[in-house]
Amino acid sequence: MEAVEDIVIVGAGIAGLTTALGLHRRGIRSLVLESSDGLRTTGFAFTTWTNAWRALDAVGIGKSLRPLHNQLFGRGHEIRCVQRRTLLETLANELPSSTIRYSSKVVSIEESGYLKLVHLSDGSILKAKVLIGCDGVNSAVAKWLGFKKPAFVGRSAIRGCVYYKHGHSFEPKFSQYIGEGVRSGVIPCDDKSIYWFFTFSSSSKNEEMEESPAKMKQFVLSKLGKMPDNVRAVFEKTEVDNFILSPLRFRPPWDILWGNISKTNVCVAGDAFHPMTPDVGQGGCAALEDGVVLARCLGEALRDKQGMSSEEEYKRIEKGLRSYTKERRWRAVELVSTAYMVGYIEQSNGRVWNFLRDKVLASFLAGQRFKMASYDCGKLSAS
């Protein structure tokens, strides 16, 4: 016999857990399906800008996260480098213990009247009044909505994190270094941890190197170019187990503009919705925004539903998801387009491009990051 759930969220990443917590704050239960056997902490850390902290405050966890991560310099903006594990564990710990169901991989989705049938790899079936895909760049829900797979942008990123037992001497700021077809940067998370990234142009997806962290480290160290010795030491000191490689993908803005972000009682959020390159540091931040807006729209749609017929509830859910789509579509188009543009310019190589990037466009490119960070997703309540 199939279980019936009001709201099923696929994926216990940033978008999925933020949505679940936002709904919980509104008094609405959800079930989060995670294909892994625990929280996925791939990626180590990510930059959280002002817009992200507004979202974290909206779901009530900003106050507990701030003391754990240093404030970075940033033109009046609140910027910190948050460790992914810390964020996910904080979100999960705020949810009722039965909210997340691990080892639950979605294999197919069917329609059944006003419900969606969610088939899992273990053979079980869930009936969902609302289905939300937060299942990343290879989203099964996005595929059901008609989205194509995200496009490879011709660049890859190697990321890592290093721990200094006795503390490091880096200032609380983002430092970036640009070489021939490569770009790297270091960002302190706290007084003892530093997150770093290294992006490079690539015609392939580097499957061979992806399976060998030792080769990743060797490759990074051979390509770093000119930089201060203490910065180079960050990469040298990183243990090989703390290297991870990812081909960079994005959803073309026209797909977001014309695609089905929601359809009937199904929608997507986070990387399932708007995978983007990391060049303006907004991927995780946008997922947090999605979660707040989606929880607010569904909270309004499902308010005072006592005694409501299945048809009326279905129509209100559909209307709520349309509101979410309307609010997030253009924001996602702007973020994806800006990130791609900034990355293309900063990663380009050649005498003319180097001059334009370093002498003409430097201030403009920095300004784009701050412009994207000025967004306010609002509170959980519409009032």
Side-chain angles (χ1 to χ4, degrees):
M1 183 177 180
E2 299 100 342
V4 180
E5 299 288 343
D6 282 349
I7 299 176
V8 171
I9 298 170
V10 185
I14 296 172
L17 293 184
T18 304
T19 303
L21 183 54
L23 290 167
H24 176 62
R25 300 292 194 222
R26 296 280 313 234
I28 300 170
R29 183 187 179 279
S30 63
L31 175 66
V32 180
L33 303 177
E34 171 53 48
S35 60
S36 303
D37 58 5
L39 292 175
R40 292 171 290 118
T41 56
T42 303
F44 301 113
F46 69 101
T47 310
T48 49
W49 296 75
T50 303
N51 56 313
W53 288 102
R54 287 170 176 155
L56 290 168
D57 285 335
V59 295
I61 61 170
K63 189 175 181 180
S64 64
L65 288 171
R66 283 185 175 91
L68 304 177
H69 303 89
N70 293 346
Q71 167 91 39
L72 306 180
F73 301 147
R75 298 189 191 177
H77 275 265
E78 181 174 10
I79 311 171
R80 302 172 198 268
C81 189
V82 170
Q83 297 192 53
R84 183 181 174 91
R85 178 186 296 275
T86 302
L87 173 60
L88 293 182
E89 288 177 350
T90 302
L91 286 164
N93 289 340
E94 291 288 314
L95 291 166
S97 59
S98 60
T99 301
I100 307 173
R101 184 184 297 180
Y102 295 106
S103 302
S104 299
K105 181 178 175 60
V106 174
V107 293
S108 65
I109 301 161
E110 284 185 88
E111 294 193 66
S112 177
Y114 297 128
L115 304 174
K116 293 296 180 285
L117 300 183
V118 183
H119 295 257
L120 304 183
S121 57
D122 63 3
S124 61
I125 302 172
L126 297 174
K127 287 183 175 180
K129 294 180 180 179
V130 184
L131 179 61
I132 301 170
C134 301
D135 44 343
V137 293
N138 297 312
S139 169
V141 181
K143 182 180 179 180
W144 186 88
L145 286 169
F147 279 116
K148 299 176 185 175
K149 283 190 174 183
F152 176 56
V153 300
R155 293 188 291 134
S156 294
I158 298 176
R159 302 175 175 95
C161 193
V162 61
Y163 179 77
Y164 289 78
K165 184 177 180 180
H166 301 294
H168 59 74
S169 59
F170 285 83
E171 288 187 299
K173 67 177 183 179
F174 166 61
S175 301
Q176 179 170 259
Y177 305 90
I178 299 175
E180 292 188 11
V182 302
R183 193 154 47 97
S184 58
V186 297
I187 317 171
C189 294
D190 52 39
D191 294 334
K192 294 185 177 182
S193 300
I194 291 180
Y195 166 71
W196 59 261
F197 68 87
F198 175 88
T199 63
F200 59 99
S201 300
S202 171
S203 58
S204 69
K205 297 180 183 178
N206 309 285
E207 286 90 349
E208 182 181 345
M209 187 162 54
E210 194 170 357
E211 296 177 3
S212 173
K215 287 184 179 179
M216 291 182 214
K217 184 171 185 176
Q218 183 181 14
F219 176 76
V220 170
L221 293 177
S222 70
K223 297 287 186 179
L224 282 177
K226 188 176 180 181
M227 61 174 51
D229 290 342
N230 67 325
V231 177
R232 178 178 287 273
V234 169
F235 298 88
E236 293 173 340
K237 183 178 171 62
T238 305
E239 300 288 341
V240 291
D241 289 344
N242 285 340
F243 279 72
I244 184 169
L245 184 150
S246 307
L248 299 183
R249 300 182 177 96
F250 84 130
R251 194 175 303 289
W254 47 88
D255 284 357
I256 296 173
L257 189 60
W258 301 112
N260 291 320
I261 300 165
S262 70
K263 181 180 177 183
T264 61
N265 53 351
V266 181
C267 74
V268 283
D271 281 347
F273 170 16
H274 45 58
M276 66 187 76
T277 59
D279 304 290
V280 292
Q282 282 292 334
C285 303
L288 290 165
E289 292 176 6
D290 288 345
V292 172
V293 176
L294 185 49
R296 180 173 63 241
C297 291
L298 278 176
E300 293 302 306
L302 296 173
R303 187 173 56 180
D304 304 325
K305 68 168 189 170
Q306 195 80 18
M308 191 185 303
S309 69
S310 297
E311 182 180 7
E312 178 61 23
E313 185 179 23
Y314 179 82
K315 287 180 178 178
R316 285 177 62 168
I317 289 168
E318 190 173 18
K319 183 179 178 182
L321 294 185
R322 281 200 302 267
S323 296
Y324 161 74
T325 294
K326 182 178 180 181
E327 189 165 343
R328 296 304 294 165
R329 190 187 299 275
W330 281 105
R331 170 66 171 165
V333 167
E334 183 180 38
L335 284 170
V336 169
S337 302
T338 302
Y340 185 90
M341 178 266 294
V342 169
Y344 182 86
I345 294 172
E346 290 190 339
Q347 200 87 21
S348 293
N349 197 33
R351 188 173 298 175
V352 174
W353 272 115
N354 291 348
F355 173 80
L356 289 173
R357 180 190 64 220
D358 300 338
K359 305 297 182 183
V360 179
L361 297 174
S363 179
F364 167 76
L365 294 173
Q368 292 303 301
R369 292 185 171 92
F370 291 107
K371 180 182 176 183
M372 295 301 102
S374 298
Y375 182 87
D376 188 349
C377 65
K379 309 295 183 185
L380 281 176
S381 174
S383 56

